[in-house]
């Protein structure tokens, strides 16, 4: 029996040197892989814990009125709608691109409001910890258009676009909620296309209800998500981009397909519209705070059975993009978080 308890060094001495080295390297690789997996799973668990805390926390966020210097309490997505539409604009260091986009947006909204008095609106600019004069620029629009129509939410430090959109959605007052980028790459007039699609899907949902449903269903109560899409511009983009960027984007789209499944061709377009009830479910569940929250939205829509549609929108490349080649690696990492977090049941989906 004593021979069965040989030390590892004695056993390895009987093996050929190349085989012994291979076993040692193999053991190190296994230990390293297990360590990385443990750290990765712990990271996913912490994200889930933070999400649980955020869901149960009472928000102390407020809007600041530069006219009266008073603090206006933030509304909640759980409150009844007070406006027809809310536009959420996430902004990080956008002092240069924001003015043109806001001017165009507000001119369009005012024009529609003058024609249709039921078209009430708010624009909510979420300053994601900017280090330039983004907040100063935004507050100038609050002074000009009053705090009932334009509001600024300051996050204090940079969290990421996903968190800025989430916070904006959770503190909006609209029946319809539209997220759009601060660069104005998509024309705000295209919101009418998404709006029409929302109404079309809502009509189908209402017609499928049981005849006994007597009370009319409001638009804000129907769960619908409509995504602006640049997929129709793909051929033109492929022709103008560098080959390696096309290679990376094709690879990224493949990983997105494996993560969220088919159905939405352009998950990353920053022009998306939700009904209030859909936004309530989606943005109280979302975990990712930076690049791939769009993919997580698609994933959640499928699992929560929220109807989705994709609508082609006009889009123009605006100089100053914050997406870098290294961002692709971060995106792939976040896609892996989605797959593992939800796939293993570490992240719960609340309905």
């Amino acid at each position: 029996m004593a021979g069965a308890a040989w030390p590892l060094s004695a056993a390895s001495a009987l093996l050929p040197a190349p085989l012994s080295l291979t076993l040692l390297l193999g053991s190190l690789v296994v230990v390293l892989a297990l360590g990385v997996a443990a750290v990765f799973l712990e990271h996913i668990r912490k994200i889930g814990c933070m999400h649980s805390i955020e869901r149960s926390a009472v928000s102390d966020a407020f809007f600041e009125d530069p006219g009266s210097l008073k603090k206006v309490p933030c509304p909640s997505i759980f409150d009844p709608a007070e406006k027809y539409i809310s536009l959420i604009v996430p902004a990080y260091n956008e002092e240069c691109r924001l003015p043109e986009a806001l001017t165009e947006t507000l001119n369009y909204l005012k024009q529609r409001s003058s024609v249709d008095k039921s078209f009430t609106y708010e624009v909510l600019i979420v300053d994601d910890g900017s280090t330039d004069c983004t907040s100063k620029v935004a507050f100038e629009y609050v002074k000009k258009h009053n705090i009932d129509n334009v509001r600024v939410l300051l996050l204090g430090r940079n969290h990421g676009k996903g968190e800025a959109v989430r916070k904006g959605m959770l503190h909006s007052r609209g029946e319809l909620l539209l997220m759009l980028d601060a660069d104005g790459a998509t024309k705000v007039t295209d919101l009418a296309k998404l709006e029409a699609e929302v109404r079309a899907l809502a009509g189908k949902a209402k017609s499928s209800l049981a005849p006994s449903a007597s009370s009319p269903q409001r638009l804000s109560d129907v769960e619908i998500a409509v995504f602006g899409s640049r997929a129709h511009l793909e051929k033109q983009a492929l022709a103008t981009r560098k080959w390696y960027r096309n290679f990376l984007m094709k690879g990224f789209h493949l990983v997105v397909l494996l993560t969220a499944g088919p159905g939405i061709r352009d998950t990353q377009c920053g022009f998306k519209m939700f009904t209030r009830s859909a936004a309530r479910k989606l943005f109280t569940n979302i975990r990712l705070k930076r690049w791939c929250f769009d993919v997580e939205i698609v994933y959640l829509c499928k699992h929560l059975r929220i109807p989705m549609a994709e609508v082609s929108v006009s889009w123009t490349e605006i100089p100053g993009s914050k997406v870098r080649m290294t961002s692709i690696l971060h995106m792939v990492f976040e896609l892996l978080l989605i797959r593992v977090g939800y796939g293993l049941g570490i992240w719960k989906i609340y309905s």
Side-chain angles (χ1 to χ4, degrees):
M1 292 298 292
W6 283 356
L8 184 61
S9 58
S12 62
L14 298 177
L15 298 173
L19 182 58
S20 179
L21 181 60
T22 301
L23 286 173
L24 177 61
L25 291 176
S27 300
L28 290 174
V29 169
V30 170
V31 170
L32 182 61
L34 290 173
V36 170
V39 171
F40 183 68
L41 290 173
E42 177 62 16
H43 180 62
I44 293 176
R45 189 193 67 80
K46 285 183 177 179
I47 293 175
C49 290
M50 284 299 299
H51 176 260
S52 298
I53 294 171
E54 289 169 352
R55 275 181 63 89
S56 59
V58 177
S59 175
D60 59 352
F62 61 87
F63 298 111
E64 187 174 299
D65 184 353
S68 64
L69 299 180
K70 292 182 179 179
K71 294 180 179 180
V72 179
C74 283
S76 168
I77 191 71
F78 294 98
D79 299 334
E82 298 176 18
K83 298 279 187 177
Y84 173 69
I85 190 167
S86 296
L87 281 70
I88 292 88
V89 184
Y92 176 66
N93 289 347
E94 293 287 1
E95 65 175 353
C96 295
R97 301 194 296 180
L98 189 60
E100 184 176 350
L102 281 181
T103 299
E104 180 183 337
T105 297
L106 287 161
N107 285 343
Y108 169 77
L109 295 173
K110 287 171 67 178
Q111 184 271 326
R112 279 198 61 174
S113 181
S114 65
V115 174
D116 180 5
K117 297 303 179 184
S118 66
F119 186 87
T120 54
Y121 64 88
E122 68 171 348
V123 176
L124 176 50
I125 304 139
V126 186
D127 184 352
D128 186 26
S130 298
T131 56
D132 64 357
C133 294
T134 295
S135 61
K136 183 179 179 181
V137 170
F139 277 123
E140 288 300 319
Y141 282 84
V142 180
K143 291 178 183 177
K144 184 177 179 180
H145 298 273
N146 77 62
I147 197 167
D148 188 52
N149 292 327
V150 181
R151 296 182 165 190
V152 179
L153 183 61
L154 304 174
L155 297 190
R157 64 180 180 85
N158 180 250
H159 294 268
K161 181 181 177 181
E163 179 67 359
V165 171
R166 187 184 77 89
K167 284 288 178 66
M169 291 284 175
L170 294 181
H171 296 307
S172 295
R173 296 176 289 167
E175 290 185 63
L176 298 177
L177 288 78
L178 175 75
M179 56 170 275
L180 67 164
D181 290 338
D183 59 4
T186 304
K187 293 296 181 184
V188 68
T189 52
D190 280 349
L191 78 78
K193 296 181 182 179
L194 276 65
E195 182 185 359
E197 187 65 23
V198 167
R199 290 192 171 278
L201 291 174
K204 291 179 182 177
K206 290 177 182 178
S207 63
S208 65
L209 291 175
S212 58
S214 55
S215 59
Q217 196 173 28
R218 294 176 300 178
L219 184 62
S220 59
D221 295 332
V222 186
E223 294 174 0
I224 296 169
V226 176
F227 304 142
S229 174
R230 304 159 297 179
H232 61 293
L233 303 172
E234 184 176 9
K235 288 184 179 180
Q236 179 185 348
L238 288 173
T240 56
R241 278 200 304 250
K242 299 287 186 181
W243 68 268
Y244 57 84
R245 291 196 65 183
N246 288 331
F247 176 77
L248 287 172
M249 290 308 298
K250 285 290 186 182
F252 174 73
H253 289 154
L254 176 61
V255 179
V256 168
L257 183 64
L258 295 173
T259 302
I264 301 297
R265 294 174 64 194
D266 182 6
T267 59
Q268 302 308 110
C269 180
F271 202 75
K272 296 179 173 66
M273 182 177 286
F274 310 90
T275 58
R276 190 170 186 82
S277 56
R280 184 184 302 125
K281 277 191 176 181
L282 293 170
F283 290 95
T284 53
N285 270 295
I286 199 168
R287 269 85 171 179
L288 297 184
K289 298 182 183 296
R290 291 198 176 272
W291 300 109
C292 287
F293 74 98
D294 308 80
V295 182
E296 188 180 7
I297 288 172
V298 174
Y299 185 95
L300 289 170
C301 280
K302 291 184 176 182
H303 283 262
L304 291 168
R305 300 183 182 278
I306 295 175
M308 296 182 291
E310 196 169 11
V311 175
S312 297
V313 294
S314 57
W315 186 82
T316 307
E317 181 83 43
I318 305 295
S321 172
K322 295 176 178 63
V323 179
R324 302 289 180 263
M325 300 310 295
T326 53
S327 303
I328 300 293
L329 296 176
H330 196 162
M331 290 177 183
V332 172
F333 176 72
E334 289 192 339
L335 292 175
L336 189 59
L337 288 177
I338 295 173
R339 197 66 186 169
V340 176
Y342 289 113
L344 295 182
I346 301 173
W347 294 351
K348 305 297 181 185
I349 299 177
Y350 303 93
S351 58

